[in-house]
Amino acid sequence: MSMYAALWRILPGPVWFRVILVIAILAGMIFVLFTWVFPWVDGIVNPIDVTVEQ
C-alpha cells in the first residue's frame, strides 16, 4: 500500500471532486512555498556569498 493511495481514500467525494481538491491543495502548497518558505530560506542560505577563493 502506498502513502498516496491512503491519502486518496481519505479525501471526500467522487473522483472528479478529489481531482479538483488535489489540484487546489497543490496550488496552495506552491503558493505558500513561493510566498514565505523560499524567501525565508534565501535569507539563511545565500548562494551569492562564496567562500572559495581562487
Side-chain angles (χ1 to χ4, degrees):
M1 178 188 316
S2 82
M3 174 184 69
Y4 300 110
L7 290 174
W8 184 256
R9 283 194 302 271
I10 291 173
L11 293 175
V15 174
W16 64 269
F17 182 74
R18 290 179 185 184
V19 170
I20 292 172
L21 191 59
V22 166
I23 291 170
I25 290 170
L26 286 175
M29 288 173 50
I30 291 170
F31 176 77
V32 167
L33 283 172
F34 278 98
T35 304
W36 292 293
V37 177
F38 292 157
W40 174 74
V41 171
D42 184 50
I44 295 172
V45 180
N46 193 353
I48 298 173
D49 295 335
V50 180
T51 59
V52 178
E53 297 179 10
Q54 293 184 8

